[in-house]
């Protein structure tokens, strides 16, 4: 008799535990929507979505690590920028397919949340513009990681392109956060899209009567004396104008780091001033004569 009771208890306990687990997994967290398109979120469904999300995250991390392990730093930063865009779409697609695979009514979600999505879209209009602008930047490759850009008078080196913003570092090591929609509404100058070599210039005026050939030679010498200036192509001196009080020249030269262009340009100006003083070439300043007539 006692053995029969023991066997019965052993059969009942697993059934009760299983029933309790089923009740827990089928417990409704919330329920909304129409009768035709109901949206019922249960504990089991929530756990399933979480598990799928975690598995997808692990796979994406492994994939990212596999592709970036042998990449150079600049290529790795570009890949990570592209990867940051795509992973959100992967999450959405995987979760939607997973829900659809277990028979969950995806149509009901969209039907129940249509009005809410319209309201959120109007409230987050600028945010959505940033996201779409980020996608456009990725597609047409207007800006890449490592590019030097000028936007609204600010210059920075692009360090990271995210879904909503672009992070750049200025020459004084300040972080510049640029909303991506700025690229669509403002003129953007990409200093390095055609390569890292850029043509820079320094302008100077000399007094009338100066030896223009000597001025040309001294300007060329000042450029070539700077270690940041490339020997090929050689510096070029242009005689730009006969101004009111000066003969104007423009010294053009090529450097390989436009981000720090202000430093060699300053050094060349110092050298031009030194050479002009050494050879008695004057840099004039505007002078005006004022005549006062007394009646």
């Amino acid at each position: 008799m006692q053995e029969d009771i023991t066997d019965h208890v052993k059969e009942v306990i697993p059934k009760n535990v299983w029933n309790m687990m089923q009740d827990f997994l089928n417990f409704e967290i919330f329920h909304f929507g129409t009768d035709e398109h109901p949206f019922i979120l249960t504990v089991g469904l929530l756990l399933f979505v979480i598990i799928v999300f975690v598995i997808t995250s692990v796979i994406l991390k492994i994939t990212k690590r596999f592709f970036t392990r042998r990449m150079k730093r600049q290529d790795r930063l570009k890949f990570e920028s592209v990867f940051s865009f795509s992973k959100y779409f992967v999450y959405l697609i995987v979760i939607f397919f997973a829900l659809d695979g277990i028979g969950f009514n995806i149509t009901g979600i969209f039907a129940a949340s249509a009005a809410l999505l319209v309201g959120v879209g109007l409230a987050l209009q600028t945010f959505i513009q940033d996201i779409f602008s980020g996608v456009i930047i990725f597609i047409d490759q207007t800006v890449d990681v490592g590019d030097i850009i000028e936007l609204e008078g600010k210059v920075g080196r692009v360090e990271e392109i995210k879904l909503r913003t672009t992070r750049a570092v200025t020459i004084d090591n300040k972080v510049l956060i640029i909303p991506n929609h700025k690229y669509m509404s403002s003129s953007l100058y990409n200093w390095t899209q055609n390569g890292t070599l850029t043509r820079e210039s320094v302008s100077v005026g000399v007094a009338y009567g100066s030896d223009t050939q000597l001025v040309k030679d001294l300007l060329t010498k000042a450029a070539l004396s700077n270690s940041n200036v490339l020997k090929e192509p050689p510096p070029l001196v242009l005689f730009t104008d006969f101004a009111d009080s000066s003969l104007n020249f423009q010294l053009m030269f090529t450097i390989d780091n436009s981000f720090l262009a202000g430093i060699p340009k300053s050094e060349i100006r110092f050298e031009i001033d030194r050479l002009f003083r050494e050879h008695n070439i004057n840099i004039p300043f505007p002078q005006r004569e004022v005549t006062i007539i007394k009646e």
Side-chain angles (χ1 to χ4, degrees):
M1 182 69 177
Q2 186 175 0
E3 293 179 357
D4 294 339
I5 295 175
T6 304
D7 294 337
H8 180 70
V9 170
K10 290 181 179 179
E11 293 177 359
V12 170
I13 291 178
K15 292 181 179 178
N16 289 337
V17 172
W18 175 245
N19 290 335
M20 290 176 61
M21 291 181 61
Q22 283 185 320
D23 292 339
F24 174 74
L25 294 175
N26 293 328
F27 179 78
E28 293 185 8
I29 299 176
F30 62 82
H31 178 173
F32 71 90
T34 62
D35 294 336
E36 297 179 357
H37 302 289
F39 176 40
I40 303 174
L41 179 63
T42 63
V43 173
L45 180 60
L46 180 61
L47 291 175
F48 175 77
V49 172
I50 293 173
I51 292 172
V52 171
F53 188 84
V54 170
I55 294 174
T56 304
S57 300
V58 172
I59 294 174
L60 288 174
K61 287 182 179 179
I62 294 174
T63 303
K64 177 182 175 182
R65 189 174 301 172
F66 175 78
F67 283 103
T68 59
R69 60 181 178 177
R70 295 184 179 178
M71 286 185 178
K72 296 180 180 179
R73 181 178 180 276
Q74 186 172 353
D75 294 335
R76 185 171 67 252
L77 292 175
K78 291 181 179 180
F79 179 84
E80 289 176 354
S81 298
V82 175
F83 195 80
S84 65
F85 288 129
S86 59
K87 68 179 181 181
Y88 296 106
F89 296 103
V90 173
Y91 283 137
L92 289 175
I93 292 172
V94 169
I95 290 176
F96 282 152
F97 271 101
L99 294 177
D100 185 67
I102 63 173
F104 190 76
N105 191 358
I106 300 295
T107 306
I109 297 178
F110 291 112
S113 59
L116 177 63
L117 292 176
V118 172
V120 171
L122 293 174
L124 301 178
Q125 186 174 6
T126 303
F127 178 79
I128 294 173
Q129 285 179 353
D130 288 334
I131 293 177
F132 277 105
S133 298
V135 174
I136 292 173
I137 292 170
F138 163 67
I139 293 174
D140 65 7
Q141 296 182 341
T142 305
V143 178
D144 286 326
V145 173
D147 286 352
I148 299 171
I149 61 172
E150 179 181 352
L151 186 68
E152 297 182 348
K154 298 184 175 84
V155 178
R157 189 194 303 275
V158 177
E159 296 292 332
E160 186 178 16
I161 302 175
K162 294 184 177 181
L163 192 61
R164 194 183 66 84
T165 60
T166 297
R167 187 173 68 89
V169 177
T170 62
I171 191 173
D172 49 2
N173 203 32
K174 295 179 180 177
V175 177
L176 184 64
I177 306 297
I178 307 171
N180 285 337
H181 77 272
K182 288 286 186 180
Y183 294 116
M184 305 295 110
S185 59
S186 304
S187 296
L188 171 69
Y189 296 92
N190 193 326
W191 291 9
T192 52
Q193 191 171 51
N194 290 332
T196 58
L197 300 182
T198 56
R199 196 76 162 165
E200 305 293 338
S201 66
V202 171
S203 298
V204 65
V206 299
Y208 274 90
S210 301
D211 186 342
T212 55
Q213 186 59 47
L214 177 59
V215 171
K216 178 181 178 181
D217 294 340
L218 294 178
L219 291 177
T220 303
K221 182 179 179 181
L224 292 175
S225 66
N226 193 285
S227 60
N228 294 296
V229 175
L230 300 181
K231 303 301 185 289
E232 292 293 336
L236 175 66
V237 178
L238 300 178
F239 191 161
T240 57
D241 197 11
F242 293 95
D244 291 340
S245 57
S246 65
L247 305 174
N248 292 342
F249 293 83
Q250 185 178 25
L251 171 63
M252 304 182 67
F253 50 90
T254 304
I255 62 175
D256 195 19
N257 188 353
S258 58
F259 190 57
L260 301 176
I263 296 175
K265 289 168 74 171
S266 175
E267 293 173 347
I268 289 173
R269 289 189 182 99
F270 276 115
E271 183 64 13
I272 290 173
D273 181 69
R274 188 189 70 80
L275 291 173
F276 279 10
R277 290 177 185 273
E278 184 179 312
H279 292 82
N280 297 318
I281 294 178
N282 296 321
I283 299 177
F285 54 89
Q287 300 182 33
R288 298 288 183 269
E289 293 184 1
V290 179
T291 303
I292 301 176
I293 302 176
K294 294 183 179 180
E295 296 181 357

